[in-house]
Amino acid sequence: MKAGYKLVIHDLNESAVKELVALGAEKGSSPADVAGECETAITMLPDSPQVKEVVTGKDGLIYGFNPVPFLSI
């Protein structure tokens, strides 16, 4: 955020969300909501089952990303 990038976050830990929102981040209501607001998503999760849930589970990242236009060269 200090470098001018928009930060949209989602976390089950509400205190972590509040702390970053106070610094200027936007709160996403779900991983899909976050994905709809960005081109890149970064996850910080403990293990593969949690990554799978966040990416492909209900309201997962995969459901929110905007389609990337096909480039023909």
Side-chain angles (χ1 to χ4, degrees):
M1 289 184 302
K2 289 180 182 179
Y5 293 99
K6 176 181 174 181
L7 183 64
V8 182
I9 60 168
H10 176 74
D11 197 317
L12 298 177
N13 179 346
E14 195 62 36
S15 65
V17 172
K18 287 179 182 179
E19 183 177 334
L20 288 170
V21 167
L23 295 172
E26 294 180 29
K27 179 182 177 183
S29 61
S30 68
D33 185 38
V34 171
E37 296 293 325
C38 64
E39 295 177 8
T40 304
I42 298 171
T43 62
M44 293 180 201
L45 300 160
D47 208 346
S48 297
Q50 291 83 13
V51 173
K52 184 177 179 181
E53 179 65 26
V54 167
V55 175
T56 62
K58 183 179 182 297
D59 294 324
L61 290 169
I62 197 167
Y63 302 108
F65 281 121
N66 295 313
V68 176
F70 179 73
L71 298 177
S72 178
I73 298 175

